[in-house]
Amino acid sequence: MDTYVILRRNGWSSPQELEQAAARSKDVGDNEMSDDVRWIRSYVLEEGGSEVGTVCIYLATSPEAVREHAKRADLPADEVVRVMDTVVIRPDPAPAEA
């Protein structure tokens, strides 16, 4: 499997819609396409107003598998780009405690 970045711009009008989309994505990936797609992480983007988008990191067998996963889970997939290499300077920061 290769690593892919999926850009999903202005995909949801609320955090609740995003939460529902995440549940669908996990279900499709885990139960329908587990041999072809693995969701690694997502970064939620502030898109202005109440809309949010995401940048998602997936392992997948092909860009077509990523797009099929998005279709089955009813998710946007504005751009799907294969990652050529990874350079880690610092690990992702831990979320701040409330």
Side-chain angles (χ1 to χ4, degrees):
M1 285 196 195
D2 290 319
T3 302
Y4 290 88
V5 173
I6 301 96
L7 181 61
R8 306 180 199 278
R9 300 305 304 249
N10 299 305
W12 302 275
S13 61
S14 70
Q16 294 78 15
E17 279 188 9
L18 177 56
E19 190 175 310
Q20 293 167 353
R24 289 192 311 271
S25 178
K26 186 176 183 324
D27 181 59
V28 170
D30 289 352
N31 297 314
E32 297 178 29
M33 299 186 71
S34 62
D35 291 338
D36 294 308
V37 174
R38 292 197 183 108
W39 181 17
I40 305 300
R41 75 175 52 83
S42 293
Y43 299 95
V44 179
L45 308 175
E46 182 178 23
E47 299 276 18
S50 63
E51 290 190 336
V52 296
T54 59
V55 173
C56 301
I57 311 299
Y58 278 68
L59 292 178
T61 55
S62 68
E64 293 79 20
V66 172
R67 287 188 181 90
E68 178 62 24
H69 171 269
K71 180 180 173 185
R72 291 185 194 189
D74 191 27
L75 304 171
D78 300 311
E79 291 185 51
V80 177
V81 181
R82 190 176 75 80
V83 174
M84 191 171 90
D85 199 359
T86 303
V87 177
V88 178
I89 304 302
R90 293 177 186 85
D92 287 345
E97 292 188 32

